[in-house]
Amino acid sequence: PVQQEDAEILVEMLGDESWRVRKAVVRLLTQTDISLIVPLLMKTLTERHIGPRHIRFQNSALECLTDIGQPAIPALSAALRDHDKDVRIVTANALGMIRHHDACDALILTLQDEHVNVRYAAVEALSRIPSQKSVLPLTRVLEFDEDWLKLPAISALGHIGDYRATPYLIAIAEHPLYLQTVVEALGNIGDERGIPSIIQALSSTDKEIRKTATMSMESMARKLDKLHAIIQQPATYRALFRNACTEQIMLHLVELMNDQDFSLVMSAVRLLGWSGRQDAAYALLEQLENEQLLEAVISALIEIGEEAILPLANAYENARGL
């Protein structure tokens, strides 16, 4: 077994210039007595030095603690109370990298830290640990904390995917700074109450927001399809979308069918099918020559239903004439 003196030498080698040496040391340390190694790694993290060697120390120590995982959480949680804010930031990052729910309580308490950078690190860490106990504390960040903390909090709530976050996200969607991130989070959550906000974003003058809204609407649909298959009730999102789809939204979706991102194009095709609009059917028919889209276009035309009959009949007559 590795003794104290040997362990100290190994930890010192975490700052070696060779990444191969550092990797080998990390592997060896993670197989050593945790009660001996973790305090030494924490000391490495909390020492204040400058220069590339110290950066190598910190990065390797973080990697080692991450590999150790859950057993390192008590020592890291204690370090979140260190008087040095930089230590608290590094510690929160380490807990996020471990990705274990045992770290949530300490990180949630850190959301009340006096330094905004520490709170930011705690929010980022919680976004990597999908725990329901983080939902309400993160919604309080949306309500009461500084503006630049709200974006990572929105993303964290989207990753967690709890329906309780939906009303808070809808409330903040009115702010243009947060709209795109909110729309993405709502799609990840899959709560039908978020559909109006996503549909509204499809009318945005910002093309990137429209792209996000298109992908989020389909993400919402996939989650709702799974839910309704479980509860054995028909999904209603298509009807909601059809009732809310304006000509402007339809034109935006037609524009996205020419995008370079194939996944985005497929999403736009599906949403055009849900629109139930005759002009959407005409636009879809122009894509029939694209073999990659053929199956999706046919499904979308069928989804449109009766409104697609006249465009299909006209297309048939034109083809027969040729």
Side-chain angles (χ1 to χ4, degrees), residues 306-321:
E306 291 183 2
E307 291 297 323
I309 292 176
L310 181 59
L312 283 165
N314 290 340
Y316 176 78
E317 289 299 325
N318 291 336
R320 187 171 65 172

Side-chain angles (χ1 to χ4, degrees), residues 35-89:
S35 63
L36 183 64
I37 294 302
V38 170
L40 292 173
L41 292 172
M42 293 304 301
K43 183 180 177 182
T44 300
L45 283 177
T46 55
E47 286 178 342
R48 292 296 301 273
H49 299 290
I50 58 174
R53 180 173 174 80
H54 180 62
I55 293 172
R56 292 195 295 269
F57 260 131
Q58 285 210 329
N59 289 341
S60 298
L62 280 172
E63 182 182 354
C64 196
L65 287 165
T66 302
D67 288 348
I68 291 171
Q70 184 185 10
I73 290 176
L76 287 165
S77 298
L80 284 175
R81 300 189 293 272
D82 192 276
H83 65 88
D84 188 333
K85 67 178 177 64
D86 291 330
V87 170
R88 302 200 297 275
I89 290 170

